[in-house]
């Protein structure tokens, strides 16, 4: 099902954002109505064998379009050397399926990042730069992959970064033994045990099986060549048809040029948006710094019920015995300016303190306000 989603998703992504997910769902739904033998003939089955290691047992599960079912468990090999025992224990129809190792959810670190929709075509490359910010590991210390978790209606996507430390995954594959050399990928189990749909295994270590749809591709290619030959023969016999064919080719080239121009524009927008987000992060004070500064300035007779930082504004809600004096205590900080009480003080009979709401404007560095995304549009060459 993943391969079908990839093949249909690539076509849908060229139409408009979100179309790939619809075509993948539509194609998988149609394929689920076909018998298993028919799906195998047309290359739509894409079943895979899931391996997951326990203490001394290797759990085997089969994933198909109809779901996941348990096959059984076999003892783990005593060492990484030796022959692969799976072909001797399983039926050939199952032993020849692509093998995927399934890591437990606790072995991975998952982070969600909001990105422009144009980043979906190169999602893994884009999130490679976010590993140092989103995880406590360096990019070369983890195996990682990314997937689109949600497509929002405002032209953005919610991407999920899935990372596993290299020692954790290397130890799991080493314990797997000989079957580790025949893996097509490594996935991570979600909260419900269903694979997330990522592949953490590096490209050089992936084992690729024969494509069952290759024979049909050759047949379709031969039919296409015959149809092209017939069309060319008709063009030679009819000048009007030749002129119409030439006009159609010119239109196709123009549409391709427009598509390339749109992709270039999307790439520029993505780069400019990433630069703007970087400047925004560098110019705004961090939450840790604000909390540390507040802990130094707020007296002991005051405690906070809510602390928020949104749209350049700092908001404090809490209770204090001297709420009117908090404004003076918070003045003079380098992290915010213009602290003021918002609304009237509300006495709290339970604590004997006054409930207050205070706002302040966060101190934003000049580098953030020096350049906005609109300025880059004015300087961009036409």
């Amino acid at each position: 099902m993943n391969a079908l989603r990839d093949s249909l998703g690539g076509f849908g992504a060229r139409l408009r954002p979100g179309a790939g997910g619809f075509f993948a769902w539509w194609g998988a739904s149609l394929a689920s109505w076909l018998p298993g033998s028919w799906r195998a003939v047309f290359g739509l089955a894409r079943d895979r064998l899931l391996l997951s290691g326990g203490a001394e047992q290797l759990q085997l599960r089969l994933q198909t379009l109809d779901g996941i079912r348990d096959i059984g468990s076999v003892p783990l090999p005593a060492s990484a050397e030796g022959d692969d025992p799976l072909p001797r224990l399983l039926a050939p129809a199952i032993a020849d399926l692509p093998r995927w190792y399934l890591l437990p959810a606790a072995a991975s670190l998952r982070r969600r990042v909001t990105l422009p929709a144009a980043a979906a075509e190169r999602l893994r490359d884009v999130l490679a730069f976010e590993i140092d910010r989103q995880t406590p590991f360096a990019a070369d210390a983890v195996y990682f992959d990314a997937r689109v978790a949600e497509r929002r209606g405002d032209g953005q996507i919610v991407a999920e970064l899935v990372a596993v430390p290299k020692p954790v995954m290397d130890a799991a594959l080493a314990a797997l033994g000989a079957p580790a050399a025949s893996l097509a990928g490594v996935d991570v189990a979600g909260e419900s045990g269903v694979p997330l749909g990522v592949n953490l295994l590096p490209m050089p270590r992936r084992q690729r099986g024969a494509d069952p749809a290759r024979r049909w591709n050759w047949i379709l290619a031969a039919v296409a060549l015959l149809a092209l030959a017939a069309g060319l023969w008709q063009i030679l016999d009819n000048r009007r048809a030749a002129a119409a064919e030439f006009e159609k080719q010119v239109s196709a080239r123009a549409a391709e040029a427009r598509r390339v121009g749109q992709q270039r524009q999307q790439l520029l927008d993505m780069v400019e948006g990433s630069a703007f987000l970087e400047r925004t992060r560098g110019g705004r004070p961090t939450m840790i710094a604000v909390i540390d500064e507040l802990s130094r300035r707020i007296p002991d007779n005051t405690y906070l019920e809510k602390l928020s930082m949104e749209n350049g504004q700092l908001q404090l809600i809490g209770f204090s015995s001297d709420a009117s004096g908090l404004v003076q205590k918070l003045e003079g900080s380098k992290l915010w300016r213009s602290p003021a009480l918002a609304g009237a003080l509300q006495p709290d009979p339970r604590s004997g303190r006054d409930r207050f709401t205070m706002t302040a404007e966060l101190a934003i560095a000049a580098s953030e306000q020096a350049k906005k995304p609109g300025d880059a549009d004015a300087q961009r060459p036409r």
Side-chain angles (χ1 to χ4, degrees):
M1 184 170 61
N2 292 333
L4 179 61
R5 179 170 60 250
D6 295 340
S7 61
L8 293 177
F11 172 74
R14 291 192 291 269
L15 296 177
R16 58 179 178 86
F22 167 76
F23 280 112
W25 166 82
W26 179 65
S29 299
L30 291 179
S32 64
W33 287 87
L34 296 176
S37 58
W38 287 30
R39 291 198 299 247
V41 170
F42 290 103
L44 300 176
R46 301 303 184 186
D47 301 339
R48 60 177 182 173
L49 182 64
L50 300 179
L51 314 178
S52 56
E56 296 180 353
Q57 296 288 327
L58 184 63
Q59 186 68 29
L60 305 179
R61 292 188 295 172
L62 179 64
Q63 182 179 17
T64 65
L65 287 175
D66 301 326
I68 299 177
R69 61 183 179 90
D70 292 332
I71 298 178
S73 59
V74 296
L76 283 173
S79 64
E81 300 179 356
D83 297 333
D84 187 358
L86 295 182
R88 299 193 301 269
L89 300 175
L90 301 175
I94 298 179
D96 295 338
L97 292 176
R99 301 176 186 177
W100 285 67
Y101 189 74
L102 191 62
L103 289 172
S108 65
L109 184 64
R110 298 164 60 183
R111 292 290 185 269
R112 292 200 171 194
V113 182
T114 302
L115 298 172
E121 297 183 3
R122 299 182 58 86
L123 187 59
R124 191 178 188 277
D125 296 335
V126 172
L127 289 184
F129 298 99
E130 294 288 332
I131 296 179
D132 295 337
R133 302 185 185 95
Q134 301 293 333
T135 69
F137 305 103
D140 57 354
V142 297
Y143 296 110
F144 72 96
D145 200 1
R147 69 188 184 101
V148 177
E150 179 184 354
R151 292 187 180 270
R152 296 167 39 173
D154 56 356
Q156 292 184 324
I157 61 172
V158 178
E160 184 174 37
L161 173 66
V162 182
V164 174
K166 287 187 176 180
V168 175
M169 180 167 157
D170 292 339
L173 296 183
L176 183 60
S182 61
L183 292 178
V186 175
D187 208 337
V188 176
E191 291 79 1
S192 59
V194 179
L196 296 179
V198 296
N199 193 350
L200 302 175
L201 194 65
M203 189 66 67
R205 298 170 59 180
R206 300 178 185 178
Q207 296 295 325
R208 299 183 177 274
D211 188 0
R214 181 175 299 177
R215 181 181 62 180
W216 287 97
N217 291 338
W218 282 109
I219 294 175
L220 293 176
V223 172
L225 289 177
L226 292 176
L228 178 62
L232 292 176
W233 182 262
Q234 292 296 326
I235 291 174
L236 292 176
D237 291 341
N238 195 329
R239 290 177 174 243
R240 181 180 298 177
E245 181 68 16
F246 179 78
E247 183 179 357
K248 184 172 64 175
Q249 292 178 1
V250 171
S251 300
R253 296 295 184 271
E256 180 71 15
R258 288 192 297 270
R259 186 180 66 84
V260 171
Q262 292 174 355
Q263 291 180 345
R264 178 178 178 274
Q265 183 65 35
Q266 291 176 353
L267 180 59
L268 291 175
D269 293 341
M270 180 184 67
V271 172
E272 292 170 1
S274 300
F276 175 70
L277 289 177
E278 184 66 24
R279 291 194 302 272
T280 302
R281 290 174 183 163
R284 295 177 182 267
T286 63
M287 177 64 77
I288 295 178
V290 171
I291 294 176
D292 180 68
E293 183 74 8
L294 287 173
S295 64
R296 299 174 186 273
R297 291 176 174 268
I298 291 179
D300 295 338
N301 61 359
T302 301
Y303 66 91
L304 296 180
E305 184 183 36
K306 178 181 179 182
L307 168 63
S308 64
M309 295 170 54
E310 295 181 359
N311 300 325
Q313 294 290 326
L314 173 64
Q315 185 183 47
L316 306 175
I317 299 177
F319 298 88
S320 176
S321 300
D322 186 17
S324 59
L326 289 178
V327 176
Q328 183 178 1
K329 294 181 181 298
L330 296 183
E331 288 180 346
S333 175
K334 296 181 179 180
L335 301 182
W336 59 75
R337 52 180 174 266
S338 304
L341 291 172
L345 300 178
Q346 301 176 2
D348 184 18
R350 296 176 56 188
S351 62
R353 294 181 173 89
D354 294 332
R355 179 183 176 91
F356 66 89
T357 300
M358 180 173 292
T359 60
E361 183 180 354
L362 292 175
I364 302 176
S367 60
E368 180 185 348
Q369 299 177 350
K371 184 177 181 181
K372 301 296 184 182
D375 299 338
D377 296 337
Q379 299 177 2
R380 184 181 303 162
R382 300 294 183 182

